[in-house]
Amino acid sequence: MALFDQRLQDLHNELAAGKLSAAELTEAAYARIAETDERIGAFLTLNEEAARARAAELDQAGAAKGLLHALPAGIKDNIVTKGLRTTCASQFLSNYDPIYDATVSGKLQDAGAVTIGKLNMDEFAMGGSNENSSFRPVRNPWNTDYVPGGSSGGSAAAVVAGQVYFALGSDTGGSIRQPASYCGVVGLKPTYGLVSRFGLVAFASSLDAIGPITKNVEDAAYVLQAIAGHDRMDSTSADVSIPDYVGSLSGDVKGMRIGVPKEYMGEGIDPKVKEAVLAALRVLEDLGATWEEVSLPHTEYAVATYYLLASSEASSNLARFDGVRYGVRADDPDNLIDLYRKSRSQGFGQEVKRRIMLGTYALSSGYYDAYYLKAQKVRTLIKRDFDQAFEKYDLLVGPTAPTTAFRIGEQIGDPLTMYLNDIVTIPVSLAGVPAISVPCGFADGLPVGLQLIGKPFDESTVLRAAHAYEQHTDHHKARPQL
């Protein structure tokens, strides 16, 4: 068994017994990166000097203490890290070295984790394939001719390739769950507000969420335990009590009521993906859960609603990137307006420009009511669909993505087709509820993800059901040959 395939608790025990050191774990991560990352492209910046110093400090301190003591972690490159370059995979921030840590970065330090480096992504988290990175695309470790998903493709690829023990990603419309599905790992999007967004470079502020990507559900519970909680630095952070997520993994789903949205299993869903999801539902049924079809009638409007709202918020959030305060500045502008124009033209990639223009148009005078305001009203209807479903069901279950991963270059020239890949993750983000993707099989040699969706702040039930399913299958144990 590879070192990073061991259960977190087993690594804890070996560290406590002195059979394993933080330095050994850190060196194992860098050795694996050196061996595989030229083919995958998961990392943008490595943190070698500081990580080795951190590992030595942990070893000197003695036995394992924190939840994630000595574990090598990767952090998506839109989460700021003090002194460690944070680019959002954009030329605009190619020289940006933050002077502070994001709240989650600090919490990982407090838990004893070792930050190995910053992970590749779609530029400013805008994309579903990781082909929009301005540095290089990430490739799927299962087949390097295919995409790993996005925008947290680097995070998912690094975990399944064994380069880090776990990673953090961000999810705006599916950007943790979809790459987790494509790469055959576990990806958790928490309830909006459960994990602080302070230090996350904003894409769409009312949708963005930080969450873990791990090899199994138990590890996801450990990481969530470390990063969840109220933060006064984030005005959208929820002041709620944090339960014992690891303790909720009882394996018992007897009596659990599951709704299967018919809109998530209909037109556009690959038959092989649907077959894998139905097989997973039969496993949950054998474990004592019950399931039946349910309708979320406003699902058909979710993609249009999301891209209007997310692009509008992106237009506002990215206005700060003007070549004046930080980031790359254009050379030899004629005047201030020309500085703005040239810096943004040179700094942003095509997909980012597309979304800025769409959002600016939707917010412009004369169009605000017709587009942005109407989209907000439809968002409310989508949220009500979930509220009504959860009056009867404990969980909603369906596929994470309508298909398995597609070939690199296959959809990059067709933005609408690319956007539709998020058709079963976007409604969850609009509603702000938690969801997890867990591996549930393969189709044509590529992983399929099962999405379990829960009530607001009920991550415990989501994790419990996902863990129970995982314990009765072997899908999460599969690893690509690299």
Side-chain angles (χ1 to χ4, degrees):
M1 177 185 290
L3 185 61
F4 290 175
D5 282 339
Q6 293 188 55
R7 290 176 62 246
L8 188 149
Q9 189 59 55
D10 293 335
L11 288 179
H12 258 296
N13 294 339
E14 290 190 31
L15 285 161
K19 298 178 180 178
L20 187 63
S21 68
E24 288 174 303
L25 286 171
T26 299
E27 293 306 324
Y30 286 122
R32 184 63 172 168
I33 291 167
E35 178 187 358
T36 60
D37 207 48
E38 186 175 341
R39 286 169 285 160
I40 298 171
F43 278 89
L44 290 176
T45 305
L46 294 178
N47 189 39
E48 294 184 73
E49 183 178 348
R52 290 188 169 105
R54 168 72 167 162
E57 176 188 323
L58 291 171
D59 285 335
Q60 189 173 5
K65 296 177 182 177
L67 281 172
L68 309 176
H69 182 90
L71 295 184
I75 299 180
K76 188 177 179 180
D77 206 29
N78 60 345
I79 299 170
V80 301
T81 42
K82 185 177 181 179
L84 180 59
R85 185 151 295 181
T86 301
T87 70
C88 293
S90 176
Q91 294 301 319
F92 215 122
L93 291 176
S94 57
N95 64 352
Y96 178 54
D97 296 320
I99 60 173
Y100 69 100
D101 270 323
T103 296
V104 291
S105 303
K107 286 192 171 187
L108 290 187
Q109 290 285 320
D110 293 342
V114 177
T115 300
I116 296 299
K118 304 303 287 292
L119 292 158
N120 205 349
M121 55 184 282
D122 285 299
E123 184 182 8
F124 284 104
M126 298 181 192
S129 67
N130 236 136
E131 294 170 279
N132 292 319
S133 169
S134 71
F135 296 100
R136 56 176 177 168
V138 181
R139 296 177 178 273
N140 193 318
W142 288 99
N143 186 327
T144 53
D145 291 332
Y146 286 74
V147 303
S151 62
S152 305
S155 299
V159 171
V160 77
Q163 296 176 337
V164 291
Y165 193 82
F166 71 91
L168 293 185
S170 69
D171 191 309
T172 307
S175 289
I176 287 174
R177 291 161 287 157
Q178 187 242 38
S181 174
Y182 284 1
C183 290
V185 289
V186 173
L188 172 64
K189 184 203 86 70
T191 305
Y192 181 81
L194 181 68
V195 176
S196 173
R197 292 187 302 109
F198 179 74
L200 173 69
V201 180
F203 164 14
S205 302
S206 73
L207 295 159
D208 295 340
I210 296 173
I213 295 179
T214 60
K215 294 179 297 300
N216 58 61
V217 175
E218 183 181 37
D219 290 354
Y222 271 108
V223 178
L224 182 63
Q225 198 79 57
I227 65 174
H230 181 252
D231 178 17
R232 63 181 181 84
M233 300 296 289
D234 174 8
S235 62
T236 62
S237 177
D239 191 0
V240 295
S241 60
I242 305 301
D244 180 0
Y245 295 120
V246 179
S248 71
L249 306 181
S250 64
D252 182 15
V253 294
K254 289 180 181 178
M256 189 174 289
R257 300 163 299 171
I258 296 172
V260 180
K262 65 179 183 180
E263 293 82 4
Y264 293 10
M265 299 288 277
E267 184 179 357
I269 306 300
D270 185 299
K272 293 180 181 178
V273 170
K274 183 176 180 179
E275 181 181 335
V277 170
L278 290 172
L281 285 165
R282 288 192 288 270
V283 171
L284 289 169
E285 188 175 34
D286 290 342
L287 293 174
T290 60
W291 62 274
E292 62 184 21
E293 186 177 85
V294 65
S295 179
L296 303 176
H298 295 95
T299 297
E300 63 178 303
Y301 307 113
V303 172
T305 299
Y306 170 83
Y307 279 99
L308 279 169
L309 296 178
S311 298
S312 295
E313 293 184 26
S315 171
S316 177
N317 281 323
L318 270 64
R320 73 191 74 177
F321 299 102
D322 53 15
V324 176
R325 286 161 285 192
Y326 43 75
V328 173
R329 177 180 297 182
D331 295 328
D332 302 319
D334 295 331
N335 51 51
L336 184 61
I337 300 301
D338 193 44
L339 171 65
Y340 294 160
R341 181 181 63 81
K342 285 183 176 178
S343 295
R344 290 169 69 83
S345 295
Q346 295 169 16
F348 290 140
Q350 183 177 358
E351 181 62 28
V352 175
K353 292 176 183 176
R354 180 184 293 120
R355 299 199 194 192
I356 289 174
M357 289 189 290
L358 174 61
T360 303
Y361 181 81
L363 292 173
S364 61
S365 177
Y367 296 100
Y368 178 91
D369 288 353
Y371 294 107
Y372 182 78
L373 184 59
K374 185 174 288 186
Q376 289 284 29
K377 291 178 179 178
V378 176
R379 180 180 187 173
T380 299
L381 296 176
I382 291 168
K383 184 180 183 302
R384 285 177 183 171
D385 286 348
F386 282 92
D387 291 342
Q388 290 170 6
F390 285 130
E391 290 176 1
K392 184 176 181 181
Y393 301 105
D394 302 303
L395 284 178
L396 301 178
V397 172
T400 306
T403 67
T404 54
F406 46 89
R407 286 185 178 274
I408 290 175
E410 184 178 331
Q411 298 183 12
I412 195 66
D414 186 356
L416 182 57
T417 299
M418 186 79 78
Y419 295 167
L420 289 173
N421 289 314
D422 294 333
I423 194 169
V424 287
T425 54
I426 279 173
V428 178
S429 296
L430 290 170
V433 296
I436 194 169
S437 178
V438 295
C440 69
F442 288 81
D444 300 322
L446 293 167
V448 176
L450 177 74
Q451 183 175 210
L452 297 90
I453 306 161
K455 301 174 184 178
F457 301 105
D458 192 15
E459 278 77 6
S460 293
T461 297
V462 173
L463 289 162
R464 177 161 59 95
H467 182 255
Y469 168 74
E470 184 182 79
Q471 295 307 296
H472 289 80
T473 64
D474 291 325
H475 305 309
H476 66 288
K477 297 178 181 178
R479 296 287 179 268
Q481 298 297 314
L482 288 167

